[in-house]
Amino acid sequence: MVTISQNIDLKRIQKEMAECLGFPLNEENVEVRAAKLAERLTRTKNKVLVILDDLWETLDLSKVGIRLSQMAATCKVVITTRNRDICKVMRCEEIVELETLSDDESWRLFASRAGDAVESPTMREWAQNIVKECAGLPLALVVLGTALKGKKPDIWKTVLMQIKRSMDVGLQGVSKQVFQSIKLSFDFLESEEAKSCFLHCCLYPEDYDIPKEELMHLMVGGGILIGDVSLNDAQGMVDLRLDQLKTRGLLLQGKDERFVKMHDVVRDVAMQIGAVADHAFYCRAGQGLKEWPRTTESEMRNCRRLSLMDNDIEDLPHDPMQYPKLEMLILRGNKWLSSIPAMFFLHMGCLMVLDLSYTAIKSLPESLSCLNNLRVLNLRRCYSLRDISHINGLKMLEILILDDCSVSIVPADVGCARSLRFVDLGFKEGRSSCLNIFFSKKLPRFHRLEQLFMGKFAGSFRELISLRHLTHIFIREVVDLGDSLSHELVSPGSWPDRLQDFSISFHQAQSLFCVRDRRNLKLMGTKRLAVWVKRLLEKTIHLTLAEFQETELSSIGVSLPSLECLEVFNRPYLTKLLGDELLLHEQIPLRQLITDNCPTLTSLIPSEKLDHISVMACPMMPELFPNLKRLEINDCGMRYVVSSKMETVAILADPFPALEILGIRYCPEMIGMISPPASLQAPCFSQRLREITIAACPRLTHLFSYKQAISMQHLIELSVINCAALEAVVISTENKEEASSSAHVADHESYNSPFPNLRILYLVNLPQLTAFHHPTAPPAEWLHLGSYDIDECPKLQEPLEERIRSLCARMKKKKAGSVKGEEDD
């Protein structure tokens, strides 16, 4: 599903489709991208439904990569639009018109938002009249109902009068009822901060995922959050206001909890509200502008917020711009903008927020130093930026973002050192090395610094933790490891307790955890940990341990009450992770465990909450007890997944009752899923399994017994790849009687199919495979099978793929016969 909106951006549409289909699309040329996308849609084994939402003009699908004439069997397209003519021009096979709500539906929707008060005798008449004025429009009903909940009767009366008096507002696609309902809901907001949050959301393009952190920066930088509040508290205040706006129906949830979105109709109304009176918003974001917009002298003189985000502006006016009241300028995403005239900012003395991110500028102009009130400077992903020397004069700067900038010319000093509260230099190695070195030396002077993000810290860690206001610190690599972990750098109870979020790596090796994960600590081998490190460990959620010499994790000498994710690698002497396992099991809320290159490790951590394990290069591990949902076993020396003997195995005794996904790869010693004796061959193997992938296990001869296979009612995907010795997927050899009966099972209709709900089947490069089920059995009744690939299996005694095709044909015929029989009746 891709939202198109008013301005068609082919590259964005292609990118979002490719992401949904799970493959990279790195080419720049639109035609090349379209060809690659078309090939994927044509050759896919799974059918694809493409939903193009909110189409405002005709779209040539072939330019995107959707060539319906070639992919009729694999791809279908649905479009949504406000313009019926678009459906006709694009030759839609079927047009479904979404009608307004009926009177009864309107009432139920409104009442669900307005609450029980609508049923009272004094309120019901007002409510019914308001519902009538909303004319069956869901957005108006939702917004007004939410806004009026809990309000006094005289407010309801006033609202009804205002809706009746409302006139057409001249906004395309926005009725007067919808406009007035949104405007009234805005007017009812109790706090100015909530109103400001709402209006600032319209500075972003249509259907944009708006980062909550950026909104906080705009609010702080724009002087809207008054008072001495920390950035963390400011974020909490903004999040609270955004939640209120979502409750009112004025905002929507974004792609995850870090973002919000604004419905395009609500945004149109917000832009009109923001453009009048004291708000003085001027927004032309995402409109395909190629040059600076023409504005009247009055607009320039009064404008306070100007957003030209995500356009195609290449050049800015060379004469100084006359914007005496401008407080916020957003030029973000004008990717062809490569230079800013020297005196461009000369007459913008009130500017407090400047966003030049995602542009191609190479340097900052001289007039930047005239911005004496600038508090926020965003230069994120200005990949060509080399010279930032002019930031030296920004005495009031509080938020500086230089993520992914290749800066090579830095100022002689940092005039903003005493005011900076937020510094983001990014995390990628190499790109910002000059910035990391420069700021590593200057950071001890940043007495107000609260939040720091940088790839490599090359200064003294002792000086860094002396910063009294620091609450968030994210560093990919601490260069000076001399005494950082073993020596006390600060008295206990100060710096570690102030930190609310952190991710600090004292090791160069790459972790599987993201550097911006919450409370992430990466430690390398040391015989003694300082008290301040132990205090951080008590708050750590994601922990990586590398190259420790001790034999047990408990040797670090600290409890881990917050630990959810643990990564352990390159520990040659580690035999087990915990000492007193039962005691510590109660204290650790571990959910994810990753081990790599621990050759003497023999056991892991038992935990009922553990739902993901990855084990790599740990050949001696014989026992594993978690109640998992996902299990990945890679490059291990186990012989069985489940065993009752002290073999080299992955788990003892009863297997995983909650397991849903199982992946086993590169296990050269594995000879079976479940070891003898026969008691373990009963149908008890993880009956909740949904996906199984077995790859590169050269000694494996079969997977499951017949009893186990028919018990796996939930299995929908089975992939077996590159297993040189595999002779059958399912076998019936538990006893002579079953083997004998199953040899003749083809004659009996009572045969139950293994994996009865299978939908996806891949059998690839299995040179010894002679049958799916041995001894020979009837073809499985896989009624839901939609995707399969059987390739490089030369010894298959029966043409399995033909049998599957025949099954599908029989199922279609059977269904058709049933329908005909019903009609005859």
Side-chain angles (χ1 to χ4, degrees), residues 485-725:
L485 293 176
S486 299
H487 290 73
E488 291 304 333
L489 306 181
V490 66
S491 59
S494 53
W495 186 71
D497 293 336
R498 287 199 307 270
L499 286 185
Q500 297 171 16
D501 270 331
F502 56 87
S503 181
I504 312 172
S505 172
F506 292 92
H507 193 274
Q508 295 181 359
Q510 291 297 311
S511 168
L512 295 181
F513 298 132
C514 172
V515 74
R516 293 191 80 156
D517 281 342
R518 262 187 337 120
R519 299 188 182 180
N520 178 15
L521 198 59
K522 188 195 298 186
L523 306 177
M524 66 176 292
T526 182
K527 292 186 177 181
R528 177 183 175 273
L529 292 177
V531 173
W532 70 269
V533 181
K534 294 181 179 180
R535 295 295 290 271
L536 280 186
L537 281 169
E538 292 175 356
K539 303 167 71 172
T540 297
I541 294 175
H542 294 175
L543 174 62
T544 304
L545 298 172
E547 301 178 16
F548 274 66
Q549 303 303 310
E550 292 78 2
T551 60
E552 294 182 7
L553 173 62
S554 54
S555 61
I556 64 176
V558 63
S559 62
L560 302 167
S562 303
L563 189 65
E564 295 180 7
C565 301
L566 174 64
E567 182 181 4
V568 184
F569 62 95
N570 297 345
R571 296 187 63 173
Y573 306 108
L574 184 70
T575 58
K576 57 182 179 178
L577 294 180
L578 297 180
D580 189 345
E581 294 180 355
L582 293 178
L583 176 62
L584 289 177
H585 164 53
E586 299 294 331
Q587 301 175 354
I588 299 180
L590 196 66
R591 300 182 60 87
Q592 185 176 24
L593 177 62
I594 299 171
T595 63
D596 188 4
N597 193 23
C598 300
T600 60
L601 183 63
T602 59
S603 69
L604 300 182
I605 296 177
S607 172
E608 293 182 357
K609 296 182 179 180
L610 197 63
D611 59 21
H612 181 89
I613 284 185
S614 178
V615 182
M616 295 168 282
C618 301
M620 297 298 292
M621 187 185 67
E623 52 188 68
L624 180 64
F625 295 94
N627 184 11
L628 297 174
K629 292 183 179 178
R630 182 187 184 107
L631 175 60
E632 299 281 349
I633 302 176
N634 299 325
D635 193 19
C636 281
M638 67 180 189
R639 297 182 64 198
Y640 303 100
V641 178
V642 179
S643 175
S644 62
K645 297 181 179 180
M646 289 300 294
E647 301 264 7
T648 304
V649 296
I651 186 171
L652 293 176
D654 188 55
F656 328 89
L659 193 67
E660 296 179 0
I661 300 174
L662 173 63
I664 302 175
R665 299 171 179 85
Y666 309 106
C667 295
E669 302 302 318
M670 182 175 171
I671 60 177
M673 299 292 289
I674 303 177
S675 77
S679 61
L680 276 176
Q681 301 295 340
C684 63
F685 188 80
S686 193
Q687 298 181 32
R688 292 190 183 180
L689 269 171
R690 299 176 68 249
E691 298 177 20
I692 298 177
T693 301
I694 311 291
C697 298
R699 298 184 64 189
L700 187 64
T701 59
H702 68 279
L703 298 188
F704 302 107
S705 72
Y706 174 62
K707 287 183 178 179
Q708 291 159 2
I710 62 174
S711 73
M712 293 185 184
Q713 299 283 323
H714 297 283
L715 192 72
I716 61 174
E717 181 173 344
L718 175 63
S719 301
V720 189
I721 304 167
N722 299 338
C723 294

Side-chain angles (χ1 to χ4, degrees), residues 746 751 753-754 777-782 800 803-804 807 810:
Y751 174 72
S753 297
E781 297 289 312
W782 291 321
L800 184 59
R803 292 174 62 177
I804 292 174
L807 170 68
R810 286 194 295 111

Side-chain angles (χ1 to χ4, degrees), residues 284 288-293 308-317 331 333-338 359:
R284 298 289 299 274
L289 299 179
K290 297 186 181 299
E291 59 184 19
W292 192 270
L308 302 175
M309 187 188 300
D310 284 5
N311 282 297
D312 296 313
I313 298 173
E314 296 186 36
D315 299 300
L316 299 178
L331 294 173
N334 287 277
K335 56 187 176 183
W336 308 117
L337 180 63
S338 59
T359 62

Side-chain angles (χ1 to χ4, degrees), residues 311-579:
N311 282 297
D312 296 313
I313 298 173
E314 296 186 36
D315 299 300
L316 299 178
H318 285 275
D319 295 331
M321 302 297 293
Q322 302 288 335
Y323 284 91
K325 296 182 180 180
L326 190 64
E327 299 173 357
M328 191 174 295
L329 174 59
I330 303 176
L331 294 173
R332 172 184 188 154
N334 287 277
K335 56 187 176 183
W336 308 117
L337 180 63
S338 59
S339 64
I340 301 175
M343 294 294 107
F344 184 77
F345 298 116
L346 184 62
H347 302 304
M348 298 185 189
C350 290
L351 200 64
M352 293 190 286
V353 176
L354 176 59
D355 188 345
L356 299 170
S357 61
Y358 299 87
T359 62
I361 59 172
K362 299 178 177 63
S363 62
L364 297 174
E366 180 182 350
S367 58
L368 186 78
S369 58
C370 299
L371 303 179
N372 297 321
N373 291 297
L374 195 68
R375 298 180 183 181
V376 177
L377 177 59
N378 188 351
L379 299 167
R380 175 173 280 120
R381 297 195 180 178
C382 292
Y383 296 120
S384 302
L385 184 61
R386 300 291 183 267
D387 185 356
I388 61 166
S389 55
H390 291 300
I391 69 169
N392 187 39
L394 304 177
K395 309 294 184 183
M396 299 290 289
L397 195 65
E398 297 182 17
I399 296 171
L400 176 61
I401 302 173
L402 288 162
D403 179 19
D404 263 357
C405 296
S406 302
V407 172
S408 56
I409 303 175
V410 295
D413 203 351
V414 185
C416 54
R418 292 188 175 275
S419 59
L420 271 174
R421 303 168 66 190
F422 180 100
V423 174
D424 186 350
L425 305 180
F427 310 111
K428 292 187 178 179
E429 298 179 7
R431 185 181 293 278
S432 56
S433 57
C434 178
L435 283 174
N436 283 306
I437 294 172
F438 175 74
F439 278 92
S440 293
K441 296 177 181 178
K442 303 295 183 182
L443 281 176
R445 297 175 51 195
F446 296 177
H447 301 299
R448 293 189 66 197
L449 191 64
E450 298 177 33
Q451 301 187 15
L452 171 65
F453 303 79
M454 64 191 308
K456 183 177 291 187
F457 178 66
S460 168
F461 205 73
R462 186 188 302 271
E463 293 179 344
L464 179 61
I465 63 176
S466 66
L467 299 175
R468 300 292 182 185
H469 296 282
L470 198 63
T471 59
H472 294 64
I473 179 170
F474 295 78
I475 299 178
R476 175 183 285 274
E477 180 186 345
V478 177
V479 177
D480 180 17
L481 299 178
D483 60 358
S484 295
L485 293 176
S486 299
H487 290 73
E488 291 304 333
L489 306 181
V490 66
S491 59
S494 53
W495 186 71
D497 293 336
R498 287 199 307 270
L499 286 185
Q500 297 171 16
D501 270 331
F502 56 87
S503 181
I504 312 172
S505 172
F506 292 92
H507 193 274
Q508 295 181 359
Q510 291 297 311
S511 168
L512 295 181
F513 298 132
C514 172
V515 74
R516 293 191 80 156
D517 281 342
R518 262 187 337 120
R519 299 188 182 180
N520 178 15
L521 198 59
K522 188 195 298 186
L523 306 177
M524 66 176 292
T526 182
K527 292 186 177 181
R528 177 183 175 273
L529 292 177
V531 173
W532 70 269
V533 181
K534 294 181 179 180
R535 295 295 290 271
L536 280 186
L537 281 169
E538 292 175 356
K539 303 167 71 172
T540 297
I541 294 175
H542 294 175
L543 174 62
T544 304
L545 298 172
E547 301 178 16
F548 274 66
Q549 303 303 310
E550 292 78 2
T551 60
E552 294 182 7
L553 173 62
S554 54
S555 61
I556 64 176
V558 63
S559 62
L560 302 167
S562 303
L563 189 65
E564 295 180 7
C565 301
L566 174 64
E567 182 181 4
V568 184
F569 62 95
N570 297 345
R571 296 187 63 173
Y573 306 108
L574 184 70
T575 58
K576 57 182 179 178
L577 294 180
L578 297 180

Side-chain angles (χ1 to χ4, degrees), residues 114 117 123 144-156 159 184-185 187-190 248:
M123 302 291 288
L144 264 186
T146 307
L148 288 170
K149 185 175 183 178
K151 294 293 189 295
K152 296 179 180 179
D154 57 338
I155 299 293
W156 288 63
V159 166
L184 287 168
S185 185
D187 292 338
F188 286 158
L189 292 172
E190 289 81 7
R248 292 286 184 92

